[in-house]
Amino acid sequence: MSASTNKYIDPLSDFGFKHLFGGEPNKEIMIAFLNALFEGEKHITDIVYNPTELAGDDREHKKACFDLLCTGDKGEQFIVEMQRAAHNNFEDRCIFYLSRLIHQQKLKRNWEVKLKEVFLVGILDFNMKNCLSNHFLQSISLVNTGTGKIFHNGLGFKFLELPKFGKKEDELETELDKWVYMLKHMHSLDQVPKYLDKRVFEKIFNIAEMDKLSPEQQFVYDSILQREEDDQYRLGYAEQKGREEGMEKGLGQGKEEGKHETALAIARKMKEENFELAKIAGFTALSIEEIESL
């Protein structure tokens, strides 16, 4: 089924993920998701969305660009990343992201104020290379390797490995089961499953209806899907060539560069279709000057 004939957008696409989870008016969706993910550990009542780009201390330091970044009502920060394909040094990038959040806190020298809690949530459409268990949820904290006890609970990772989730609709037990089922299957469904009975799921499916997208949103969504398919093809080809030549090679540019290329490609298409520059800038996050130069 092509994207244009689906009833709902794909929540695992870059556009779909941000459309459903990244809007301030619909922040209850992100709150409900985080509470299901951190069940028994945290209870979040409100969030504020933060800028998704942190610049380095100087030009030589790499900036960090997140999919989504939000702050909870107790000051804790959550990076939420959607990753469709595995790539080299993924774990390193996750650690780098959290370290940048810690670094920007710039605590006073007397240490009278504690660090704010920082967490990275990864929604992965692949299995991690460093497989920790066969369960779809990987929860990682700083622990004492001798005793297994947590050393510090203010820094952690939550990874949802979607391929490991195989439950059917009538086998969903927990709230997290329902969220993962929705993420995996929404794009292929034609109605809200009866087991997703909470109001928040009805709201998600309502927002996700293809017919509810504006022409501009539909254009951007289709463009991003095509770009993601092209990227997957190139990645597969590069992996095959690497195996044939018996050596490891870099597989594409970094995430930030790849996103910028995608934004440029979409902006070019929108200019060809005579969209207003302001609308192009709004959908791609490019500057008017950069769009004009294309």
Side-chain angles (χ1 to χ4, degrees):
M1 187 182 291
S2 67
S4 60
T5 58
N6 286 356
K7 181 173 182 179
Y8 301 107
I9 62 177
D10 184 354
L12 302 184
S13 67
D14 185 64
F15 173 88
F17 177 64
K18 292 176 181 176
H19 184 64
L20 296 176
F21 288 91
E24 186 73 28
N26 302 316
K27 64 183 179 180
E28 66 175 300
I29 294 174
M30 178 67 86
I31 292 171
F33 171 69
L34 290 175
N35 280 329
L37 188 63
F38 286 86
E39 184 178 14
E41 301 175 49
K42 305 190 73 62
H43 180 67
I44 302 154
T45 59
D46 193 19
I47 60 170
V48 175
Y49 286 97
N50 307 122
T52 56
E53 182 175 308
L54 294 180
D57 289 342
D58 54 51
R59 292 182 179 180
E60 295 182 357
H61 287 178
K62 189 175 182 63
K63 65 182 179 182
C65 298
F66 317 126
D67 284 340
L68 293 173
L69 173 63
C70 57
T71 300
D73 50 293
K74 297 179 180 63
E76 66 272 66
Q77 290 189 292
F78 303 91
I79 297 171
V80 186
E81 288 281 300
M82 167 61 68
Q83 189 74 33
R84 299 212 73 156
H87 63 79
N88 292 335
N89 305 320
F90 171 70
E91 294 85 355
D92 288 355
R93 177 158 63 85
C94 292
I95 293 171
F96 172 73
Y97 280 1
L98 281 195
S99 69
R100 290 304 302 274
L101 285 188
I102 295 172
H103 176 67
Q104 75 163 356
Q105 293 185 28
K106 301 185 183 301
L107 296 180
K108 297 179 180 179
R109 294 183 181 181
N110 57 16
W111 288 97
E112 290 182 355
V113 180
K114 290 183 62 175
L115 284 171
K116 295 178 182 178
E117 297 180 357
V118 292
F119 302 95
L120 185 141
V121 174
I123 303 171
L124 314 179
D125 200 18
F126 61 90
N127 292 335
M128 299 175 68
K129 292 180 180 178
N130 296 329
C131 180
L132 302 174
S133 76
N134 292 324
H135 195 266
F136 66 89
L137 173 61
Q138 310 291 346
S139 295
I140 303 170
S141 302
L142 294 177
V143 301
N144 184 315
T145 57
T147 64
K149 293 182 179 180
I150 294 179
F151 168 72
H152 192 286
N153 59 8
L155 181 154
F157 303 86
K158 298 277 189 182
F159 296 112
L160 289 175
E161 296 176 284
L162 301 185
K164 292 181 179 179
F165 184 85
K167 290 186 178 183
K168 299 178 181 179
E169 183 180 335
D170 59 355
E171 296 174 330
L172 306 179
E173 301 175 50
T174 67
E175 285 301 305
L176 186 58
D177 284 349
K178 295 177 182 180
W179 281 96
V180 178
Y181 183 88
M182 182 209 71
L183 288 168
K184 284 196 68 170
H185 300 291
M186 172 184 275
H187 71 286
S188 62
L189 299 173
D190 56 13
Q191 62 182 358
V192 183
K194 63 180 181 180
Y195 293 95
L196 304 183
D197 52 2
K198 276 197 168 184
R199 186 183 66 84
V200 68
F201 289 117
E202 293 181 357
K203 181 172 185 177
I204 293 170
F205 275 83
N206 183 55
I207 296 171
E209 286 187 27
M210 294 287 292
D211 291 344
K212 300 287 179 65
L213 299 182
S214 68
E216 294 88 351
Q217 289 173 324
Q218 179 72 62
F219 185 89
V220 171
Y221 176 58
D222 289 340
S223 299
I224 287 178
L225 284 187
Q226 184 60 58
R227 181 76 182 188
E228 289 178 348
E229 289 179 5
D230 293 344
D231 288 344
Q232 283 292 99
Y233 173 79
R234 285 193 291 269
L235 181 63
Y237 178 78
E239 289 176 334
Q240 180 180 353
K241 290 293 291 183
R243 287 193 295 269
E244 290 173 354
E245 297 174 11
M247 63 182 69
E248 293 185 0
K249 291 187 175 182
L251 302 177
Q253 294 178 311
K255 185 177 182 183
E256 294 80 9
E257 289 81 0
K259 282 187 175 183
H260 189 65
E261 281 191 3
T262 298
L264 291 174
I266 292 172
R268 290 190 188 97
K269 285 187 178 182
M270 293 184 78
K271 281 191 72 175
E272 292 173 1
E273 298 292 326
N274 296 318
F275 284 103
E276 296 177 7
L277 294 183
K279 286 188 175 181
I280 300 175
F283 281 114
T284 62
L286 297 174
S287 67
I288 296 292
E289 293 75 16
E290 194 168 11
I291 295 169
E292 288 177 333
S293 69
L294 294 176

